[in-house]
Short mmCIF file of all heavy atoms in Angstrom, two decimals:
data_model
loop_
_atom_site.label_atom_id
_atom_site.label_comp_id
_atom_site.label_asym_id
_atom_site.label_seq_id
_atom_site.Cartn_x
_atom_site.Cartn_y
_atom_site.Cartn_z
N LEU A 10 -7.06 1.87 8.17
CA LEU A 10 -7.00 0.91 9.26
C LEU A 10 -6.90 1.60 10.61
O LEU A 10 -7.29 1.07 11.64
CB LEU A 10 -5.79 -0.03 9.05
CG LEU A 10 -5.66 -1.22 10.01
CD1 LEU A 10 -6.81 -2.19 9.86
CD2 LEU A 10 -4.34 -1.95 9.77
N PHE A 14 -13.74 3.33 12.63
CA PHE A 14 -14.55 2.46 11.78
C PHE A 14 -16.03 2.85 11.80
O PHE A 14 -16.78 2.45 10.89
CB PHE A 14 -14.39 0.99 12.21
CG PHE A 14 -13.04 0.40 11.88
CD1 PHE A 14 -12.00 1.18 11.36
CD2 PHE A 14 -12.84 -0.95 12.07
CE1 PHE A 14 -10.80 0.60 11.04
CE2 PHE A 14 -11.62 -1.55 11.74
CZ PHE A 14 -10.59 -0.76 11.23
N ASP A 33 -6.83 -1.51 3.64
CA ASP A 33 -6.30 -2.82 4.02
C ASP A 33 -7.43 -3.84 4.13
O ASP A 33 -8.32 -3.72 4.97
CB ASP A 33 -5.56 -2.73 5.35
CG ASP A 33 -4.27 -1.98 5.26
OD1 ASP A 33 -3.42 -2.36 4.43
OD2 ASP A 33 -4.11 -0.99 6.01
N VAL A 34 -7.40 -4.84 3.22
CA VAL A 34 -8.39 -5.92 3.27
C VAL A 34 -7.72 -7.17 3.87
O VAL A 34 -6.73 -7.67 3.31
CB VAL A 34 -8.91 -6.23 1.87
CG1 VAL A 34 -9.86 -7.43 1.87
CG2 VAL A 34 -9.61 -5.01 1.26
N MET A 35 -8.19 -7.61 5.01
CA MET A 35 -7.60 -8.76 5.72
C MET A 35 -8.65 -9.84 5.94
O MET A 35 -9.82 -9.55 6.28
CB MET A 35 -7.01 -8.29 7.04
CG MET A 35 -6.06 -7.13 6.98
SD MET A 35 -5.41 -6.74 8.62
CE MET A 35 -4.66 -5.17 8.31
N ASP A 36 -8.23 -11.08 5.76
CA ASP A 36 -9.19 -12.17 5.78
C ASP A 36 -9.10 -13.04 7.05
O ASP A 36 -9.84 -14.03 7.19
CB ASP A 36 -9.05 -13.06 4.55
CG ASP A 36 -7.68 -13.77 4.47
OD1 ASP A 36 -6.84 -13.56 5.35
OD2 ASP A 36 -7.48 -14.52 3.49
N GLY A 37 -8.20 -12.70 7.98
CA GLY A 37 -8.04 -13.53 9.16
C GLY A 37 -7.30 -14.81 8.97
O GLY A 37 -7.14 -15.62 9.89
N HIS A 38 -6.76 -15.04 7.76
CA HIS A 38 -6.02 -16.24 7.44
C HIS A 38 -4.60 -15.91 6.99
O HIS A 38 -3.64 -16.38 7.59
CB HIS A 38 -6.72 -17.04 6.34
CG HIS A 38 -8.10 -17.51 6.74
ND1 HIS A 38 -8.30 -18.56 7.61
CD2 HIS A 38 -9.34 -17.07 6.40
CE1 HIS A 38 -9.59 -18.75 7.79
NE2 HIS A 38 -10.24 -17.86 7.05
N VAL A 40 -3.27 -13.06 7.32
CA VAL A 40 -2.78 -12.31 8.52
C VAL A 40 -3.78 -12.57 9.63
O VAL A 40 -4.94 -12.86 9.37
CB VAL A 40 -2.65 -10.79 8.24
CG1 VAL A 40 -1.52 -10.51 7.28
CG2 VAL A 40 -3.99 -10.22 7.73
N PRO A 41 -3.35 -12.46 10.88
CA PRO A 41 -4.25 -12.76 12.02
C PRO A 41 -5.15 -11.58 12.39
O PRO A 41 -5.21 -11.19 13.54
CB PRO A 41 -3.28 -13.12 13.15
CG PRO A 41 -2.08 -12.27 12.85
CD PRO A 41 -1.97 -12.23 11.35
N ASN A 42 -5.78 -10.99 11.42
CA ASN A 42 -6.72 -9.91 11.64
C ASN A 42 -7.77 -9.93 10.58
O ASN A 42 -7.55 -10.49 9.50
CB ASN A 42 -5.97 -8.53 11.60
CG ASN A 42 -6.76 -7.41 12.25
OD1 ASN A 42 -7.83 -7.64 12.77
ND2 ASN A 42 -6.21 -6.21 12.18
N LEU A 43 -8.90 -9.30 10.86
CA LEU A 43 -10.04 -9.32 9.95
C LEU A 43 -10.56 -7.91 9.83
O LEU A 43 -10.80 -7.23 10.84
CB LEU A 43 -11.14 -10.25 10.47
CG LEU A 43 -12.38 -10.49 9.64
CD1 LEU A 43 -12.01 -11.25 8.35
CD2 LEU A 43 -13.41 -11.26 10.40
N THR A 44 -10.72 -7.40 8.57
CA THR A 44 -11.25 -6.05 8.42
C THR A 44 -12.56 -6.12 7.64
O THR A 44 -13.57 -6.49 8.14
CB THR A 44 -10.23 -5.14 7.72
OG1 THR A 44 -9.78 -5.74 6.50
CG2 THR A 44 -9.03 -4.87 8.63
N TRP A 45 -12.53 -5.75 6.39
CA TRP A 45 -13.74 -5.69 5.57
C TRP A 45 -13.49 -6.36 4.24
O TRP A 45 -12.35 -6.65 3.88
CB TRP A 45 -14.09 -4.21 5.31
CG TRP A 45 -12.88 -3.36 5.23
CD1 TRP A 45 -11.92 -3.38 4.24
CD2 TRP A 45 -12.42 -2.38 6.17
NE1 TRP A 45 -10.90 -2.52 4.51
CE2 TRP A 45 -11.20 -1.86 5.69
CE3 TRP A 45 -12.96 -1.89 7.36
CZ2 TRP A 45 -10.48 -0.87 6.40
CZ3 TRP A 45 -12.22 -0.91 8.03
CH2 TRP A 45 -11.02 -0.44 7.55
N GLY A 46 -14.57 -6.61 3.54
CA GLY A 46 -14.45 -7.28 2.22
C GLY A 46 -15.00 -6.40 1.11
O GLY A 46 -15.16 -5.20 1.27
N GLY A 140 -0.69 -6.92 9.13
CA GLY A 140 -1.77 -7.43 9.94
C GLY A 140 -2.34 -6.43 10.95
O GLY A 140 -3.55 -6.45 11.20
N PHE A 141 -1.47 -5.58 11.51
CA PHE A 141 -1.95 -4.65 12.52
C PHE A 141 -1.27 -3.29 12.36
O PHE A 141 -0.08 -3.22 11.99
CB PHE A 141 -1.63 -5.18 13.92
CG PHE A 141 -2.40 -6.44 14.26
CD1 PHE A 141 -1.84 -7.69 14.00
CD2 PHE A 141 -3.69 -6.39 14.78
CE1 PHE A 141 -2.54 -8.86 14.31
CE2 PHE A 141 -4.37 -7.56 15.07
CZ PHE A 141 -3.81 -8.78 14.84
#
Side-chain angles (χ1 to χ4, degrees):
L10 187 63
F14 287 8
D33 290 303
V34 176
M35 306 182 193
D36 64 359
H38 298 285
V40 292
N42 196 3
L43 185 67
T44 53
W45 33 66
F141 295 93

